[in-house]
Every structure is written in C-alpha cells, then in structure tokens.
Amino acid sequence: MTPEPFGARLRQAMDTRGPLCVGIDPHASLLTSWGLNDDIAGLERFTRTVVEALADRVAVLKPQSAFFERFGSRGIAVLEKAVEEARAAGALVLMDAKRGDIGSTMGAYAATYLDKDSPLFSDAVTVSPYLGFGSLRPALDAAAVSGAGVFVLALTSNPEGAEVQSATAADGRSLAQLMLDHMAAENEGAAPLGSVGAVVGATLGDAGVNLAINGPLLAPGIGAQGATPADLPAVFGDAVGNVVPSVSRGVLRHGPDASGLREAAGRFADEVRGAVSGS
C-alpha cells in the first residue's frame, strides 16, 4: 500500500492545527531556566514535558538532534522515545539533523531518519545540499518510498550563510535559487503540496528568490531571533500560504508549566494565521 505523501499530510496538519512548527531544543541554559540539571534526567524531563504539552495540538514538532546527541546513547534513547510519542499523539516530527554527504553515507543517513523500520524514523528530516543537490538523491528516494519529507537548506537565517548561498552559479543564478529550482522540479505535479521543502529564514526581509517550489517553506527565526509572524508576507510573498514558521525559544521559555507552553504555541499559531490571511 502506497503511503500518503508527507506534503499531503503536512497540508492537512497545517489546515487543522495551524501552520506552526515548535522546536525541541534542550539548550543547557534552557534546562537551567526550567530548574533542571543539564544531565540525562533533565533532558528526559524537558523533552517529555514539551511532547506531552504540544504533540496533540501543533502541526509539527522539530527536535534538534545535536542537543540529544551530546548525551551519547542515553540522549539518543530519549530522542527515540520523543519521536515515537509525538507521532502517536498526531504531531508530524521533523528531525532537525541537517545531514549532508555523498553516496553510501548519505544512504545511511536516509536509512536512519527515513526508513520506517528505524527507531528514529521521522516524518521529515533537514538536509544540506551544498555538496551538490544530486548528493541528496538517497534521501529523496528513501523519503518517496516511506511517504516522508525532506527539508533542504536554501536561505538560512544565520548571517554567515550568505557567503555560500548568495554566491553565483555558472548560469548566473544564486546557489540558493539553483537549489530552489531543483526542489521545484522534485515537486512538479504534486498536490496539494510537494514533499520536498526549503528552509528559508524569516529574518531575511525580501528573500530575493523565487520561492514557488510547490512545497513547504520552513521558516526559522520567529521569536528569539527577531522575526515576527507579521514579517512573513514580506519575506515569502505569494508563497506565504506554504510557510511553516518555526519557533523554539519563543515557546519553550514559557515552560516548565505545560499550560504556558500551550498558550504560547496557540498565540503564535493565531498570529501566523492572521498574517497569512491578511486579517
């Protein structure tokens, strides 16, 4: 039986739960602000609280793999459980791993996050295309088989990214636009939304690229990095309806009380709806 594509599942989740992605980023400083120790017990408590508070109401939860990996195998075990429980509660899980490599190594990354038999199987994963878009083929193919998605770095919110992403390709396009055009080709003909998304920072102002890729646009930078939902139409233009704004600290700082997390996530989701609809 062919699995339902990620793009279709994401569109439904955004329409019913609101277009919002909440990061699970257990920074040491954030654990401390919650009154938790920066150890495996603190990591587990933090992660469980976020999942229990939000997985039944937000469209996407995005664990940042690095903050779990730093605890070794015990941290990965916490991540595995979080992925399982978040998906069981109805949230789509986007693994923020930003993997990028070639050949069999990229294939191994794809098997880790995009194979349904993997304990870290997620609804989507972030990847880096700057070894060449073709290097992502193992991940793109694995995602298509499992009904998962891939979010490809295009124009990121960190200022250093511009030295690579805004460089000019041989045909005169920026490298970011070249990557976006590859994504558009992957999504051609998909409905209601393709499963290959782009990562485009919400802090960029006018992005200066064509974002019509027929796929989702993950927009980090809302909240602590300075962007607001009201900024989205200026950055994304006609593609704003496909934007999935990503908020981490802007929501997580309202913990450890579950009601505080829920209220903050709900407020951001309402603000995004208003910005996207123009109301």
Side-chain angles (χ1 to χ4, degrees):
M1 184 175 180
T2 303
E4 186 177 17
F6 171 74
R9 295 187 290 122
L10 177 62
R11 180 80 273 166
Q12 182 179 19
M14 292 168 64
D15 290 345
T16 57
R17 293 186 169 204
L20 187 68
C21 167
V22 177
I24 307 179
D25 296 1
H27 298 264
S29 60
L30 194 53
L31 295 178
T32 299
S33 73
W34 278 34
L36 301 172
N37 293 328
D38 185 27
D39 57 19
I40 196 67
L43 176 73
E44 188 170 19
R45 176 70 179 274
F46 176 92
T47 306
R48 184 172 64 250
T49 299
V50 175
V51 171
E52 290 179 352
L54 300 179
D56 65 345
R57 62 194 62 218
V58 301
V60 183
L61 283 176
K62 180 175 69 67
Q64 169 48 258
S65 181
F67 291 111
F68 296 85
E69 293 173 31
R70 69 192 182 102
F71 291 100
S73 61
R74 294 179 299 167
I76 296 299
V78 173
L79 181 58
E80 289 176 3
K81 186 174 182 181
V83 170
E84 179 185 7
E85 293 182 350
R87 297 188 73 236
L92 299 177
V93 172
L94 167 56
M95 184 63 70
D96 196 357
K98 298 184 179 71
R99 300 306 191 215
D101 217 305
I102 60 173
S104 60
T105 307
M106 193 67 218
Y109 283 136
T112 301
Y113 304 110
L114 301 171
D115 186 324
K116 287 193 171 183
D117 291 330
S118 169
L120 283 172
F121 173 70
S122 303
D123 295 284
V125 65
T126 56
V127 296
S128 174
Y130 291 107
L131 287 172
F133 193 86
S135 68
L136 302 180
R137 182 52 54 192
L140 297 169
D141 290 347
V145 169
S146 62
V150 174
F151 281 87
V152 182
L153 301 182
L155 282 169
T156 55
S157 56
N158 63 306
E160 303 88 352
E163 67 185 37
V164 173
Q165 297 156 19
S166 297
T168 303
D171 62 2
R173 288 178 289 176
S174 69
L175 291 184
Q177 187 63 67
L178 179 61
M179 297 305 160
L180 289 162
D181 291 346
H182 280 302
M183 297 175 222
E186 294 292 325
N187 289 327
E188 187 175 0
L193 195 65
S195 296
V196 179
V199 180
V200 178
T203 57
L204 296 174
D206 182 356
V209 292
N210 180 6
L211 296 171
I213 65 168
N214 191 33
L217 302 165
L218 182 71
I222 301 288
Q225 294 185 50
T228 70
D231 296 322
L232 296 175
V235 179
F236 294 95
D238 293 341
V240 72
N242 293 336
V243 171
V244 189
S246 178
V247 182
S248 296
R249 284 170 288 176
V251 170
L252 300 177
R253 66 183 178 85
H254 294 279
D257 183 63
S259 64
L261 295 171
R262 294 186 187 113
E263 289 171 7
R267 184 168 60 252
F268 273 111
D270 289 342
E271 291 176 5
V272 170
R273 283 193 190 96
V276 170
S277 66
S279 61

